[in-house]
Amino acid sequence: MARLEFWFDFSCPFAYVASTQIEQLAQRTGAELDLRPMLLGGVFKARGTPQNLAATLNPAKARHNLDDMRRQAQRVGVPLRMPASHPMRTVEALRCVLAAGLSLPLIHSTLTLIHRIYRAYWDENADIADRAVLTRAIADAGLEPAAILARAESQEIKDELRRRTDEAVERGIFGVPTYFVGDQLFWGQDRSDMVEEALGGRPAAPRLASTAPVEFFFDYSSPFAYLAIMRAEAELGPQVRWRPILLGGLFRSIGTPDVPLFVQSPEKRRHTLLDLDRQAARAGLPFKFPSRFPIRTVLPLRVTLAAGSPPALVRALATALWAEDRDVSDPAVVAAIAAAVGLDGAGLVAAAETPEIKQALVTSTAAAEAAGVFGVPTFVVATERGPQLYWGADRLTLAAAAASGDGSAI
């Protein structure tokens, strides 16, 4: 029987959402569920990550983060409210979980306790460090509060939580929820489909008919934008509007590092690169990290605008960089790529140097910032409730759902 490790702390809303689905995931795949509580603050300290990570986000990204939490919860039908006092202390609650026991036959009662504590934090917004709150949660789980609380204060349990947190650090964990299938690490509630596949399952793929207009902001400099570019027309429909922007200019304007990958911890950077490979493989796309990175993309972006942003050219330029390792900052290379899709490559390269096209790229980038874009790929869907922003290749399916009129994705 395969084993599914689920590493969690109560302080993360995405871990909360994942916790509501983890039992079903294990049951569908016949996996043995191995619950792994850990102290996220301890992992953050070891990695040099700010304890209140959300407070470090720029305003646009912070707004999207809150929207994304709400959407993820809504998609699986669980309530979620952000506590005013977030993040709250979770060490006592984690110790109570360990005190309750994580082996059969105790695991079922402990799972009930985990769900109850998560609900206290993320639905009731109660302080789970408060002894009265923990007492109620333990009693609601059908356990004996006095015995659990007393054992949670023992040195044995304190040491056990510390040991588990140290193990998380040693195994390359940098956030929650984290899943392990064998030695494969998956981070994030939104990677549960990959986890299911790793366990031999076959997650259902949604079939949606997008009808609402979608603006798709991209720059060729992002590998995640490449993954979205290759899927966008098929999933968002022909009504998608392709919007090239200069990501470096946007980053400078909003105060984001030029290459976010370079400021990630080594553990997170390794996972990001692995995640790129996994996403490309799932989509059936060729992918090879280019020998030139970061690469200057002003020319291909201007050529795209000069050509009117035809999808065939966008896909060809993205493929040249992220699958064929071609130098798309070279005018001869870009001209050849444009010619290969039936366009006047030399003419477009010349047009890219005109004041009108240069200004068009500046204008498009400014429009992206005004729309709340903080990275690429970003999809802005026109819905009955107003424009809805989705960031990331892994949010393309949610954007398509919103464009199809699925209210649970909005």
Side-chain angles (χ1 to χ4, degrees):
M1 177 184 292
R3 175 173 297 208
L4 170 58
E5 295 180 32
F6 180 65
W7 293 79
F8 67 95
D9 187 345
F10 295 112
S11 59
C12 175
F14 295 104
Y16 159 58
V17 173
S19 74
T20 67
Q21 306 300 302
I22 192 66
E23 292 165 85
Q24 297 94 316
L25 174 56
Q27 289 167 2
R28 283 196 304 273
T29 57
E32 178 186 354
L33 181 57
D34 185 354
L35 298 168
R36 298 294 186 103
M38 53 164 255
L39 189 60
L40 185 59
V43 171
F44 279 177
K45 184 178 180 180
R47 301 278 181 243
T49 303
Q51 291 294 317
N52 188 356
L53 192 55
T56 68
L57 303 179
N58 66 60
K61 191 169 185 178
R63 284 194 298 272
H64 179 270
N65 206 40
L66 288 170
D67 283 343
D68 196 44
M69 293 175 196
R70 176 180 53 79
R71 289 166 181 158
Q72 298 295 337
Q74 195 167 303
R75 291 292 283 176
V76 298
V78 298
L80 187 152
R81 296 185 301 138
M82 175 61 72
S85 54
H86 176 75
M88 293 186 278
R89 181 178 167 90
T90 61
V91 63
E92 290 85 2
L94 292 165
R95 288 173 182 166
C96 284
V97 169
L98 290 171
L102 294 172
S103 59
L104 291 172
L106 299 171
I107 190 171
H108 299 296
S109 296
T110 306
L111 271 167
T112 304
L113 176 60
I114 290 169
H115 294 319
R116 184 64 189 89
I117 294 173
Y118 264 124
R119 194 164 70 249
Y121 194 122
W122 291 105
D123 182 15
E124 301 163 4
N125 293 169
D127 181 2
I128 62 171
D130 186 295
R131 191 176 181 89
V133 171
L134 286 173
T135 296
R136 287 195 298 273
I138 295 166
D140 288 348
L143 299 167
E144 176 52 51
I148 297 294
L149 288 166
R151 186 161 188 253
E153 290 300 314
S154 69
Q155 194 60 48
E156 174 195 7
I157 293 297
K158 291 178 180 179
D159 290 345
E160 179 63 10
L161 181 58
R162 187 176 299 109
R163 185 195 67 76
R164 287 171 177 265
T165 303
D166 289 344
E167 181 186 352
V169 172
E170 290 168 6
R171 293 181 65 186
I173 292 175
F174 52 87
V176 293
T178 290
Y179 311 81
F180 272 99
V181 178
D183 60 357
Q184 296 183 78
L185 182 155
F186 300 85
W187 170 61
Q189 175 268 338
D190 49 8
R191 295 299 181 267
S192 61
D193 282 358
M194 291 184 181
V195 174
E196 187 158 352
E197 289 178 347
L199 289 166
R202 295 184 178 180
R207 291 287 182 266
L208 302 165
S210 299
T211 57
V214 181
E215 289 188 288
F216 174 22
F217 294 94
F218 66 93
D219 185 341
Y220 298 109
S221 62
S222 164
F224 292 103
Y226 159 66
L227 297 176
I229 284 167
M230 303 307 289
R231 298 166 49 206
E233 196 168 30
E235 296 198 30
L236 296 174
Q239 72 275 13
V240 64
R241 182 184 178 195
W242 301 76
R243 300 292 303 272
I245 69 169
L246 186 60
L247 185 60
L250 175 66
F251 280 172
R252 285 189 290 276
S253 181
I254 64 178
T256 297
D258 281 347
V259 187
L261 181 69
F262 290 172
V263 298
Q264 292 179 353
S265 70
E267 294 78 15
K268 188 171 184 179
R269 190 180 312 127
R270 281 197 297 271
H271 182 270
T272 297
L273 295 173
L274 177 59
D275 190 53
L276 282 165
D277 288 335
R278 287 170 173 166
Q279 288 199 51
R282 288 193 84 208
L285 295 172
F287 175 77
K288 178 171 62 175
F289 212 86
S291 55
R292 309 164 192 86
F293 183 82
I295 191 166
R296 184 172 168 81
T297 57
V298 171
L299 175 61
L301 290 167
R302 289 177 180 166
V303 164
T304 300
L305 285 166
S309 302
L313 176 61
V314 175
R315 288 192 292 267
L317 286 166
T319 298
L321 175 56
W322 292 104
E324 299 166 354
D325 197 15
R326 297 170 72 183
D327 183 359
V328 297
S329 68
D330 184 329
V333 171
V334 172
I337 293 168
V341 295
L343 301 172
D344 177 6
L348 289 171
V349 168
E353 295 304 314
T354 64
E356 294 80 10
I357 295 301
K358 290 180 179 180
Q359 183 57 47
L361 183 56
V362 172
T363 300
S364 184
T365 304
E369 183 176 355
V373 175
F374 53 87
V376 296
T378 291
F379 317 94
V380 179
V381 183
T383 74
E384 292 181 355
R385 301 185 195 178
Q388 300 291 318
L389 186 149
Y390 300 81
W391 168 62
D394 53 2
R395 295 300 183 267
L396 177 53
T397 300
L398 271 182
S404 72
D406 182 351
S408 67
I410 297 173

